[in-house]
Amino acid sequence: MDRRVKDYLQHFQLSDLFPEYVQRDMIVATYESGERLFSQGDDAHTLYFLVEGKLKISMLSPEGKRLILAFKTPLDIVGDIEYVRDCRFINTVEAVTDIVVIGISYTILRKDMSDNAAWLQFLLETVTKKFETKTRAMNFSLLYAVDVRVASYLLSMTPTQPKLDSTSLIDMADLIGTSYRHLNRVLQQFEKAGWISKKRGKITLLDRAALLEQAGQNIYE
């Protein structure tokens, strides 16, 4: 068994949830910032426990626009809904920072854990929280002004450093559910207020406290 698996499971108090013979089939994987674990519609065959770093979860709307559902930090799970429903991945998941995940195949889970009451209860709780999160996320555009969503996005995308690649503002606009023009206006307002600077394809956060106040409760977290 990879010693790191055992250490992570102990750290997050999951050791008792998985028998040792199941732990032996778990793997540790790393992804760099910006790298995708999987895309919406990909075949689903692995469940991941996020144990280090930060993830962004998004989905493609029926109109063809990507929308942010949530940002996730440890401990969190991705691939659990697909495991229960036996379907393709329903969201796109990518690393915001460098991340570490523990992966275990659905085949192993179905063979060795399908009758484990503690695991099924754990899974029920996590899946229920996911649907609550998705419901909140789908209401963002109705409940929050664009400047609040932009501030929250900037904060969520820069957990470890103040700079963000701004080369794809169209993607950013789609993710937060607004137009490119509206996003640009909000960014110009933030820059005029001295909260950010835009230079050479980068957005730099200059006043995190002001952005936090603008975002209120960070809605994407």
Side-chain angles (χ1 to χ4, degrees):
M1 182 197 307
D2 189 327
R3 179 66 196 181
R4 293 174 297 171
V5 169
K6 197 172 190 68
D7 290 343
Y8 281 125
L9 293 179
Q10 288 178 344
H11 177 73
F12 290 106
Q13 300 179 334
L14 296 176
S15 297
D16 293 340
L17 189 60
F18 298 101
E20 191 158 329
Y21 62 87
V22 174
Q23 295 181 29
R24 286 197 293 268
D25 288 311
M26 294 179 170
I27 62 168
V28 175
T30 60
Y31 293 83
E32 295 181 355
S33 173
E35 191 174 359
R36 285 190 178 183
L37 277 74
F38 49 81
S39 298
Q40 185 174 338
D42 285 352
D43 288 333
H45 48 73
T46 304
L47 184 143
Y48 300 94
F49 293 88
L50 175 65
V51 292
E52 287 188 32
K54 189 172 192 177
L55 291 174
K56 178 174 68 179
I57 300 177
S58 61
M59 68 172 292
L60 195 66
S61 73
E63 296 76 28
K65 293 184 178 293
R66 284 195 301 137
L67 301 171
I68 293 176
L69 296 180
F71 288 85
K72 297 295 184 179
T73 54
L75 175 75
D76 211 280
I77 306 174
V78 288
D80 47 347
I81 295 174
E82 292 80 0
Y83 168 73
V84 172
R85 293 182 57 195
D86 192 19
C87 64
R88 294 174 181 269
F89 283 118
I90 60 177
N91 299 317
T92 294
V93 175
E94 61 187 281
V96 175
T97 65
D98 293 348
I99 65 166
V100 180
V101 296
I102 294 176
I104 182 167
S105 75
Y106 292 169
T107 301
I108 296 297
L109 288 173
R110 291 189 175 110
K111 179 170 70 76
D112 296 325
M113 299 293 291
S114 59
D115 295 326
N116 185 307
W119 161 246
L120 295 176
Q121 179 64 33
F122 178 82
L123 197 59
L124 176 62
E125 291 174 0
T126 60
V127 169
T128 301
K129 290 177 183 177
K130 293 287 175 66
F131 281 110
E132 290 176 355
T133 298
K134 186 172 183 178
T135 300
R136 289 197 304 269
M138 297 302 289
N139 289 325
F140 277 174
S141 60
L142 298 176
L143 299 176
Y144 295 94
V146 172
D147 54 353
V148 173
R149 281 179 272 152
V150 173
S152 181
Y153 179 87
L154 294 174
L155 292 165
S156 295
M157 288 295 291
T158 55
T160 59
Q161 44 78 36
K163 290 189 178 182
L164 172 68
D165 188 350
S166 67
T167 54
S168 184
L169 294 183
I170 293 176
D171 283 349
M172 189 190 303
D174 283 350
L175 282 166
I176 64 175
T178 189
S179 68
Y180 170 81
R181 287 185 177 181
H182 199 161
L183 171 63
N184 233 354
R185 286 197 297 271
V186 171
L187 291 175
Q188 288 170 3
Q189 291 169 7
F190 286 3
E191 190 168 26
K192 186 176 180 180
W195 299 351
I196 66 170
S197 70
K198 287 176 59 183
K199 192 178 298 183
R200 296 173 185 171
K202 300 285 184 182
I203 297 174
T204 302
L205 276 60
L206 303 176
D207 192 340
R208 200 172 186 89
L211 288 167
L212 279 167
E213 184 175 353
Q214 182 72 22
Q217 295 180 343
N218 203 344
I219 62 175
Y220 290 121
E221 297 295 327

